[in-house]
Amino acid sequence: MPTVTRYLRANRLRFEKELCEYLRLPSISAQSNHKKDVCATADWLVRHCRGIGLRAKKHATGFHPIVTATTPKRAGKRPHYLIYGHYDVQPAEPLEEWASPPFEPTIRKGAVYARGATDNKGQHFAHLKAVEAYLQTGADLPCDLTFVIEGEEEVGSESLVTFLREKKRELKCEGIVVSDTGMPSKKHPALTYSLRGVTAMEVTVRGPKADLHSGIYGGSVDNPAMVLCQMLGALRNNNGRITVSGFYEGVEKLTAYERKQMKRLPINQAEYRKLVGVPELCGEKGYTHHEQRSARPTLEINGLTSGYQGEGSKTIVPAWASAKITCRLVPNQDPLRINRMLRKHLKKSCPSTVKLEIKDGHGAEAYYVSPTGPMAQVALEALHESFGHEPVLLREGGSIPIINEFKKVLGADSLLLGLALPDDNLHSPNEKFDLDCFHKGAQMSALLWDKLADI
Ligand code: BES
Ligand code: ZN
């Protein structure tokens, strides 16, 4: 171990430079004009993995390639762990909000700023550097490791689902280590034991066959934007509860233990309000902001479009209005069932003056694993030793749909050891990754393999 730690310490600057090289590649999976960049990023990753001593391969799929990289196998039956990450990133818009361009990584105040810095290139790169330290110093790595790094996480991971089923045998493992979540602060390293699920849809309301003069026709022809706003507005009541009937069926109350854990979290309501920059917080009555954002289901409008959006005014009754909607789900909420209930509710509330179209999007169940198992225990030790602080147990509000597939197809649990800080701006302008988290994350990863091999 000391040789590995020494190697990690001695090579910090080079690691940061390499991470910047990786971050330069605009691997935006959602935008078709970046398809080549996504592919080139997979190539870069394969080259990099080979360079540090891994056996790496790019697997073509129907969409974006998957990269696997394995440690050279040794004789004997050793535990096998997967390390999952994603090399694709979210779109960088709105570009004018970035202090430095999203694909020109810049280091400021101990953090690297770039799209994908924390979500997720920096986080899985920390694990790659830990494994490099073992392979390059010849230190004894007591587990077989396989990195699975995909290019479609931000758009639904469809290819990886198929890939898992095809390679079920090769990917058989004791567990999956994932750093794609967060921690409340560097003094509160975290093990996440639950993620929310999701169900998505796009709702369009169509009125007149074309935009109409609102002075000539307005008042006699229903306004699709108005209709959609009224329908959507009625989905939430004054207590912050979703009004779709059956929405909360099966949702479990937080246990006293969980509520106590959440009370230990550092960011209070006032700090949280400041962090997100709102005049006042809202949310479901009877729950704290930590509970609302991680252990309660929600319904959000993610995008809303209708009518004229250009400069100045244009007096029309728009021909249509549409909204992108997602619900975040908690354990026991079936994404398909929720989707059906929401559809039914919208159909019922839509007046006959317009036509309603609903297109389904992706869906995933919530994830929950008990944080008391042996894998979790050694992970908490590794977090404690590398970050120098007592770790906390977290429920996170985001989703990583593939985690459920790992459980279903491979029968293995995931250890979610997130390295993102609350102000890392995931999916927002000025995304960053704290370099302390990067190096401590690599150290945490290095500590993990000995401990996992011992259980
Ligand atoms: N890394 C995030 C997920 C995340 C972030 C989980 C913070 C917990 C805390 C991941 O890249 C992501 O953004 N996932 C999407 C999935 C969606 C497209 C189905 C999400 O949560 O919106
Ligand atoms: Zn993301």
Side-chain angles (χ1 to χ4, degrees), residues 224-263:
M226 201 69 160
V227 170
L228 185 62
C229 287
Q230 285 173 327
M231 284 168 62
L232 298 181
L235 290 174
R236 195 175 74 176
N237 71 17
N238 287 340
N239 288 327
R241 303 249 318 168
I242 304 308
T243 55
V244 177
S245 96
F247 189 77
Y248 293 95
E249 244 169 55
V251 172
E252 274 173 26
K253 283 209 175 100
L254 278 125
T255 61
Y257 173 75
E258 282 190 300
R259 290 200 125 161
K260 211 170 115 202
Q261 278 290 326
M262 286 195 196
K263 281 221 178 83

Side-chain angles (χ1 to χ4, degrees), residues 19 22-23 27 41 44-45 48-49 52 54 67 83-89 116-132 147-151 153 177-181 417-420 433 437-438 441-442 445 449:
L19 176 58
Y22 190 19
L23 290 171
S27 45
T41 308
W44 185 93
L45 198 53
H48 191 81
C49 289
I52 65 177
L54 291 164
V67 173
I83 302 162
Y84 164 78
H86 61 95
Y87 69 82
D88 66 321
V89 304
T118 195
D119 187 10
N120 167 262
K121 288 173 174 169
Q123 295 204 46
H124 64 256
F125 206 63
H127 288 281
L128 277 169
K129 295 296 106 180
V131 175
E132 170 186 327
F147 283 88
V148 177
I149 305 175
E150 67 157 320
E153 196 274 345
V177 173
V178 183
S179 290
D180 194 22
T181 51
L417 301 167
L419 302 174
F433 186 42
C437 289
F438 176 42
S445 175
W449 312 120

Side-chain angles (χ1 to χ4, degrees), residues 86 119 153-154 180-181 198 328 362 396 398-399 401 426-427:
H86 61 95
D119 187 10
E153 196 274 345
E154 302 290 9
D180 194 22
T181 51
V198 69
R328 292 286 169 173
H362 48 80
E396 280 272 35
S399 313
L426 285 79
H427 295 202

Side-chain angles (χ1 to χ4, degrees), residues 152-167:
E152 291 177 23
E153 196 274 345
E154 302 290 9
V155 290
S157 300
E158 227 174 85
S159 301
L160 186 55
V161 173
T162 316
F163 185 82
L164 282 189
R165 299 211 170 113
E166 280 169 13
K167 309 270 176 190

Side-chain angles (χ1 to χ4, degrees), residues 186 189 379-389 419 436 439-445 447:
K186 283 190 257 184
L380 289 170
E381 279 172 34
L383 282 170
H384 197 164
E385 287 168 37
S386 51
F387 283 85
H389 293 278
L419 302 174
D436 240 10
H439 298 301
K440 286 182 173 149
Q443 177 68 14
M444 182 267 294
S445 175
L447 289 168

